[in-house]
Amino acid sequence: MSNVTYHPYSDFALHHMGTDLLDGVHQGGAGPDEFRTAPLWGVGQRLFFLHDGRTTNLLTAILSHDDDGGQCTSFQSAESFTDDSNASIYQPNVSTKFCGSEASGVIGNFRALSTSQKQDILNFLRSL
């Protein structure tokens, strides 16, 4: 399979998703408003969408990525680290501010499409 070309339809990058999709979880290199782009390959077979499965509607999932940054969220957390003596040290009240989604421009373009063009995109995604 090493010489097989496939198209996962993803950039596999971390993206800021805005306050609407913010979950407050730090996971790996991802901050509380960041998610790694999942491959769209197989999206047509999925029953639930978004990182937490909050919707069964593909159109709702797409439009949920729109957050123009008009509402910013500050996230308070306690970060911990270990010093040379292996003692846990806590640095409380680390505040990070999140504004907007990197996808807002793309969602604006999607909204500007005609109804039939939007349906074509939904049909394509369901075919994957």
Side-chain angles (χ1 to χ4, degrees):
M1 297 292 295
S2 63
N3 294 320
V4 173
T5 301
Y6 72 99
H7 303 283
Y9 299 101
S10 178
D11 63 5
F12 298 106
L14 285 177
H15 294 282
H16 290 280
M17 302 311 300
T19 56
D20 291 342
L21 295 177
L22 176 96
D23 65 4
V25 175
H26 291 269
Q27 186 174 31
D33 78 325
E34 292 179 305
F35 300 96
R36 186 166 309 284
T37 306
L40 292 176
W41 191 4
V43 75
Q45 304 303 311
R46 294 184 194 145
L47 299 176
F48 301 99
F49 301 102
L50 299 174
H51 69 286
D52 56 3
R54 73 176 73 171
T55 185
T56 59
N57 184 300
L58 187 54
L59 181 59
T60 300
I62 291 168
L63 297 176
S64 294
H65 288 78
D66 190 12
D67 181 349
D68 65 4
Q71 176 184 358
C72 295
T73 299
S74 292
F75 183 77
Q76 295 278 118
S77 65
E79 304 241 346
S80 66
F81 59 93
T82 305
D83 66 7
D84 291 338
S85 67
N86 288 328
S88 291
I89 299 172
Y90 292 93
Q91 182 181 20
N93 299 323
V94 174
S95 181
T96 311
K97 189 173 185 178
F98 303 99
C99 300
S101 169
E102 291 178 35
S104 288
V106 173
I107 300 306
N109 293 340
F110 180 80
R111 288 182 191 276
L113 296 173
S114 70
T115 301
S116 66
Q117 289 171 318
K118 290 176 190 171
Q119 189 61 55
D120 287 344
I121 290 174
L122 292 171
N123 291 342
F124 169 73
L125 291 171
R126 288 183 182 117
S127 75
L128 296 178

